[in-house]
Amino acid sequence: MAHNRKWQGETSLVFVPYSPCVEDIAIYPVKGMQGHSVRSTVAEECGLLGDRRWMVVDTNGIFLSQRELPGLARLSPCLGEHTLSLTTGSETIHVPFPDAQAVVREVRIWRNTLLVRDGGDQAAQWLSRQLGRAVRLVFQNDPALRRTDVTYAPTQPSVSLADGFPLLITSTASLDDLNQRMATDVPMARFRPNIVVTGCSAWAEDTWRLIRIGACVIRLVKPCARCAVTLVDQKTGEKPTPREPLRTLATFRRGRRGVMFGQNAIVVKSGVICLSDRIELLEIGPVDLDM
């Protein structure tokens, strides 16, 4: 299929034998906790609206994820207009969004150190009891304070509390190919994507460089190296099949920085994205898992 490319004055055709569209849009209000699907949302510079603006940290301000605390997967967050609700089993807590009077904390996420607002003692005590260790809940009130890696995004757009980039894009065809190589299937939730694409061939997203979804323009900047979070069942926090899917991915998707599934991306032009939106390919390039 031909895709008209018209971006920054350029007009050309990108010919591909498929017609991709959006199958799922997922938001993760709290880094490491469960996500939920939405029918439409706004893709902002820092990521999808409401995505990964909250985070759990230890008493030293170091971020925690399912790598250290797989039990985070048992917590279901829900964003309200003024509150974040957290539910596990029959227990729910409602946490007001911290205002300008909230305690400001310095926290560390990978190589970034930034200032965030604390979610309060009640939330910290509740979460500490659920997770079995002393933790605090914090809120990123100003995403502009954190920037993406200049190596992959020279314009250094802002980013939420995601690991490194505002968006993660995967495809159903790539997951199908992976599952055909394993004894037991894994669901897409293991990879915690923001945008899931259907209607393309397996690993086609490796070649995408610039795409348009609705009015939103997105640049895919780097294959996503996968970690132990993919071993965790995203409802129970258990690891039902030790070493999978990483063991199988390593047999055919290994790059210099690890095993790859999905593409990290930045938002070039903000806009609304919806389920079933057609994805226009504006630029494509060669596959490089060592990026």
Side-chain angles (χ1 to χ4, degrees):
M1 182 176 180
H3 290 260
N4 186 28
R5 183 175 78 179
K6 188 173 184 180
W7 182 247
Q8 296 181 340
E10 299 181 24
T11 303
S12 62
L13 293 176
V14 175
F15 291 93
V16 292
Y18 49 80
S19 182
C21 64
V22 177
E23 167 144 304
D24 190 33
I25 304 168
I27 293 172
Y28 308 84
V30 184
K31 183 178 180 66
M33 294 188 190
Q34 291 179 16
H36 63 269
S37 296
V38 296
R39 295 193 60 81
S40 65
T41 191
V42 177
E44 304 175 305
E45 179 185 291
C46 66
L48 300 185
L49 184 64
D51 185 62
R52 295 179 173 95
R53 295 288 298 279
W54 295 80
M55 181 171 69
V56 178
V57 299
D58 66 16
T59 54
N60 294 315
I62 309 300
F63 88 100
L64 296 169
S65 73
Q66 289 181 27
R67 300 171 188 85
E68 305 84 17
L69 288 176
L72 283 168
R74 295 193 294 270
L75 292 164
S76 176
C78 180
L79 288 173
E81 186 175 355
H82 302 293
T83 61
L84 168 73
S85 299
L86 302 177
T87 300
T88 180
S90 60
E91 292 191 58
T92 298
I93 187 173
H94 304 287
V95 184
F97 277 62
D99 59 21
Q101 307 306 313
V103 172
V104 175
R105 295 190 181 277
E106 184 177 85
V107 299
R108 186 167 182 82
I109 172 171
W110 298 116
R111 291 178 293 177
N112 300 140
T113 299
L114 65 154
L115 297 178
V116 295
R117 292 178 180 174
D118 189 85
D121 290 341
Q122 184 179 9
Q125 292 165 8
W126 188 88
L127 271 176
S128 297
R129 180 164 54 85
Q130 301 298 333
L131 297 171
R133 64 178 290 183
V135 299
R136 298 203 71 87
L137 182 68
V138 298
F139 175 68
Q140 182 195 37
N141 57 297
D142 186 2
L145 297 177
R146 186 172 184 238
R147 298 285 169 171
T148 52
D149 188 338
V150 67
T151 305
Y152 301 100
T155 59
Q156 284 198 284
S158 61
V159 61
S160 66
L161 298 171
D163 274 354
F165 297 90
L167 297 176
L168 176 63
I169 299 173
T170 63
S171 79
T172 57
S174 297
L175 180 64
D176 289 344
D177 182 64
L178 170 61
N179 281 332
Q180 287 173 9
R181 300 166 187 263
M182 298 196 303
T184 304
D185 289 359
V186 296
M188 187 66 84
R190 292 280 192 95
F191 298 97
R192 299 175 65 81
N194 293 114
I195 299 172
V196 180
V197 178
T198 191
C200 66
S201 55
W203 316 111
E205 64 272 19
D206 289 344
T207 68
W208 300 351
R209 297 295 177 264
L210 193 70
I211 64 175
R212 179 163 43 223
I213 305 176
C216 180
V217 177
I218 296 169
R219 181 167 292 281
L220 289 74
V221 297
K222 178 182 178 293
C224 185
R226 309 316 307 220
C227 68
V229 171
T230 60
L231 309 180
V232 180
D233 184 298
Q234 293 300 301
K235 294 295 184 183
T236 67
E238 303 296 328
K239 298 180 180 179
T241 310
R243 299 179 62 190
E244 292 291 10
L246 293 181
R247 178 172 55 185
T248 299
L249 275 173
T251 65
F252 73 111
R253 295 286 296 175
R254 182 174 289 281
R256 185 160 46 91
R257 293 179 174 83
V259 295
M260 307 297 178
F261 187 97
Q263 293 285 327
N264 291 299
I266 62 173
V267 179
V268 177
K269 180 182 177 184
S270 298
V272 175
I273 61 173
C274 304
L275 286 182
S276 301
D277 272 353
R278 176 186 168 189
I279 297 174
E280 297 178 272
L281 305 186
L282 306 179
E283 293 177 13
I284 59 174
V287 175
D288 184 2
L289 296 184
D290 291 326
M291 288 176 63

